[in-house]
Amino acid sequence: QVQLLESGGGSVQAGGSLRLSCEASKNIYSWYCMGWFRLAPGKAREGVAGINNDGYSSYANSVKGRFTISKDNAKNTLYLEMNDLKPEDTAMYYCAADSRGACSVIASEVTTYFDWGQGTQVTVSL
């Protein structure tokens, strides 16, 4: 069974940084698309960023310029570098992946990916 295991969440003050990691149990190159989405209490799931095997990436407007998605195929790991964090970034962050050739890396589409991890909590305080 494929597993995606997130780590790196925590509590930081506004303006701080965190780097999330998502370690996969198989070669991540086998997924055409990978990304991150988040879920905050009382809010809908929000796609944060997506990336494909060609390295093309996409971001939600709310995080553009502050977050960077990347992946290390050799380590089978996906990353999300988060800078200048704001209280509104507080959420559970999930790693997601999709092996369908027709998957899209548009950030909003990340919530439709088939494989998810268990999530890692990010809390940003003033």
Side-chain angles (χ1 to χ4, degrees):
Q1 183 176 353
V2 173
Q3 287 188 325
L4 297 168
L5 183 62
E6 301 94 336
S7 62
S11 297
V12 297
Q13 289 190 321
S17 300
L18 286 172
R19 187 174 83 154
L20 306 183
S21 299
C22 171
E23 186 173 354
S25 61
K26 71 173 186 177
N27 188 338
I28 63 174
Y29 199 79
S30 62
W31 282 298
Y32 289 109
C33 304
M34 297 189 76
W36 296 89
F37 68 89
R38 62 190 181 187
L39 181 61
K43 296 184 179 180
R45 276 179 289 170
E46 179 188 16
V48 174
I51 188 168
N52 66 11
N53 281 339
D54 295 325
Y56 179 81
S57 59
S58 174
Y59 298 90
N61 287 334
S62 58
V63 306
K64 200 171 293 183
R66 300 187 297 121
F67 290 12
T68 302
I69 189 171
S70 63
K71 59 178 184 169
D72 186 331
N73 290 337
K75 295 182 179 180
N76 291 329
T77 302
L78 179 73
Y79 301 100
L80 185 68
E81 185 76 35
M82 305 186 296
N83 298 314
D84 189 24
L85 283 161
K86 303 176 180 181
E88 51 264 41
D89 294 318
T90 294
M92 185 72 81
Y93 283 72
Y94 296 86
C95 170
D98 201 313
S99 59
R100 294 173 297 170
C103 60
S104 170
V105 297
I106 295 175
S108 60
E109 294 295 315
V110 175
T111 59
T112 68
Y113 291 177
F114 284 171
D115 298 317
W116 300 359
Q118 294 299 308
T120 185
Q121 178 68 36
V122 172
T123 302
V124 185
S125 59
L126 288 170

